[in-house]
């Protein structure tokens, strides 16, 4: 699930601007299609610019976004008639028809975000390493460690741990995890998620199994230990145990 920012001057909800978007599990924030709206825009993985009604304004907005120096991918939403005038120098990364289906839209979103991540990885050798507490996941070598100890994970266990570690504290339903880790074409039940979580916890070990937290009636999240808990644990390890028979 990605965080998307939809820039539109329409008073319609996002489901009417881009119907296919309502069938996907992404988080969508809507802001006016104005340059000033970008000043306080929240962090996002991808920008969607609505060009259905005013293509010239959408073109200028795409170009303005590029002048800010951001590398966030920009997708221009256009009508079929608008495709005839779209040019490569408008500053967007891709164009989607407002009538495109959810499968095509999801593919374009993933490809656009994936290209940015690939470019970042090329410039930063540590970009593919995810660190959450003592958990270290290397997306390039498909290896994972906790406290320096290698974890022997299956492919899906690795993908599940990687996804949760990328979003510490955020709660995901079982259906969302199925979509993100197993894919939209997976037809198995949500019990698959429970089984993999149970196996993953077992491999993390009794002292670390609580890193995968359960939110009752919702799903799962990656739990980072608080500083106070870490300090207490460190203190407990450093405090010698009382000797049997010692005076009180």
């Amino acid at each position: 699930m990605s965080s998307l920012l939809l820039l539109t001057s329409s008073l319609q909800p996002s489901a009417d601007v881009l119907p296919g978007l309502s069938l996907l599990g992404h988080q969508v924030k809507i802001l006016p299609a104005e340059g000033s709206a970008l000043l306080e825009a929240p962090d996002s993985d991808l920008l969607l610019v609505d060009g259905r009604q005013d293509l010239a304004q959408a073109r200028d907005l795409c170009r303005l976004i590029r002048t800010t120096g951001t590398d966030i991918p920009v997708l221009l939403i256009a009508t079929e008639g608008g495709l005839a005038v779209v040019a490569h120098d408008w500053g967007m990364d891709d164009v989607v028809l407002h009538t495109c289906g959810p499968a095509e839209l999801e593919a374009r979103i993933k490809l656009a975000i994936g290209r940015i991540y690939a470019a970042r990885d090329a410039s930063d050798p540590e970009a593919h390493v995810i660190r959450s507490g003592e958990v270290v996941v290397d997306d390039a070598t498909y290896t994972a460690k906790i406290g320096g100890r290698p974890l022997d994970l299956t492919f899906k266990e690795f993908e599940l741990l990687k996804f949760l570690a990328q979003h510490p504290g955020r709660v995901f339903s079982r259906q969302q995890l199925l979509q993100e880790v197993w894919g939209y074409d997976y037809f198995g039940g949500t019990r698959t998620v429970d089984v993999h979580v149970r196996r993953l916890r077992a491999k993390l070990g009794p002292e670390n199994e609580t890193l995968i937290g359960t939110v009752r009636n919702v799903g799962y999240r990656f739990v980072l230990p608080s500083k106070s808990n870490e300090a207490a644990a460190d203190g407990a390890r450093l405090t010698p145990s009382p000797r049997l028979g010692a005076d009180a």
Side-chain angles (χ1 to χ4, degrees):
M1 181 174 62
S2 300
S3 176
L4 311 181
L5 192 60
L6 174 59
L7 303 178
T8 177
S9 297
S10 173
L11 298 178
Q12 300 170 309
S14 61
D16 292 329
V17 176
L18 195 58
L21 192 58
S22 64
L23 300 176
L24 303 177
H26 302 295
Q27 294 182 336
V28 182
K29 173 74 173 180
I30 302 177
L31 289 178
E34 303 171 356
S36 59
L38 298 173
L39 296 177
E40 298 182 359
D43 292 337
S44 58
D45 299 310
L46 182 138
L47 299 178
L48 290 159
V49 177
D50 184 8
R52 298 170 305 146
Q53 299 175 352
D54 193 337
L55 198 55
Q57 181 191 23
R59 174 201 61 198
D60 295 341
L61 184 56
C62 288
R63 288 174 173 171
L64 177 61
I65 292 171
R66 284 295 167 242
T67 63
T68 65
T70 181
D71 63 351
I72 297 176
V74 177
L75 265 63
L76 174 64
I77 305 170
T79 62
E80 190 168 356
L83 290 178
V85 297
V86 172
H88 67 88
D89 62 347
W90 285 21
M92 71 285 178
D93 295 274
D94 201 354
V95 182
V96 294
L97 283 174
H98 70 290
T99 56
C100 74
E104 178 185 350
L105 181 59
E106 179 67 11
R108 291 181 182 274
I109 289 173
K110 285 189 173 182
L111 286 173
I113 295 176
R115 284 193 293 266
I116 294 300
Y117 284 158
R120 291 174 181 173
D121 288 349
S123 60
D124 181 5
E126 284 287 304
H128 59 272
V129 178
I130 302 162
R131 303 179 189 275
S132 289
E134 291 191 332
V135 173
V136 179
V137 178
D138 191 327
D139 196 20
T141 61
Y142 280 89
T143 57
K145 297 180 180 179
I146 182 163
R149 172 174 63 88
L151 296 172
D152 184 17
L153 305 178
T154 65
F155 177 73
K156 288 303 181 185
E157 290 167 354
F158 174 86
E159 289 293 314
L160 179 60
L161 177 62
K162 180 185 75 171
F163 181 76
L164 291 172
Q166 281 178 312
H167 308 89
R170 188 185 297 183
V171 180
F172 295 96
S173 69
R174 292 168 175 80
Q175 188 62 44
Q176 287 174 324
L177 291 173
L178 273 180
Q179 293 173 353
E180 294 293 338
V181 178
W182 279 263
Y184 284 88
D185 56 348
Y186 181 77
F187 294 102
T190 54
R191 178 166 171 74
T192 297
V193 176
D194 297 330
V195 171
H196 280 75
V197 166
R198 185 168 65 249
R199 292 173 179 171
L200 185 54
R201 283 171 172 164
K203 292 183 179 181
L204 288 172
E207 68 280 11
N208 297 303
E209 63 180 8
T210 55
L211 289 175
I212 310 298
T214 300
V215 180
R216 182 179 292 273
N217 298 325
V218 181
Y220 299 101
R221 64 174 178 167
F222 189 89
V223 181
L224 283 177
S226 65
K227 296 296 183 182
S228 58
N229 289 344
E230 289 179 345
D234 290 341
R237 286 193 292 267
L238 294 174
T239 302
S241 301
R243 291 173 299 175
L244 294 176
D247 294 337

